[in-house]
Amino acid sequence: HVFAFFMLALLADFSFPRSDFGWHKILPLILFGLAVEIMQYFLQLGIFSLYDLLADVLGLVLYTFSYPLLKRLPFIQLRWR
């Protein structure tokens, strides 16, 4: 979950390059994770897990903190130009 939502944050950030990574990108991803957990609740073998939702949020937090480091990578710098 952590890696998946880290990558989703990266993709969301690169999909809308003219705006910074903020609540307008984070909130839909959190709601997406919540929607997945709610759908799992209604599946026969699925369970609603707050730990999974917490792992989703952790992936978003890790992306937020790695944001300054990512700006230094040469192959990703084009996003911030």
Side-chain angles (χ1 to χ4, degrees), residues 1-27 29 54-73 75-80:
H1 286 264
V2 174
F3 180 72
F5 273 78
F6 182 92
M7 293 307 295
L8 284 172
L10 179 86
L11 291 171
D13 197 20
F14 275 59
S15 296
F16 304 98
R18 295 184 183 189
S19 61
D20 288 333
F21 189 71
W23 284 107
H24 61 284
K25 292 180 183 176
I26 295 172
L27 187 60
L29 291 172
L54 190 63
D56 299 343
V57 171
L58 180 61
L60 298 175
V61 168
L62 286 176
Y63 179 78
T64 303
F65 285 124
S66 66
Y67 193 76
L69 177 65
L70 291 173
K71 284 184 171 183
R72 295 181 180 188
L73 297 175
F75 58 91
I76 298 182
Q77 283 181 349
L78 293 175
R79 184 262 182 255
W80 289 280

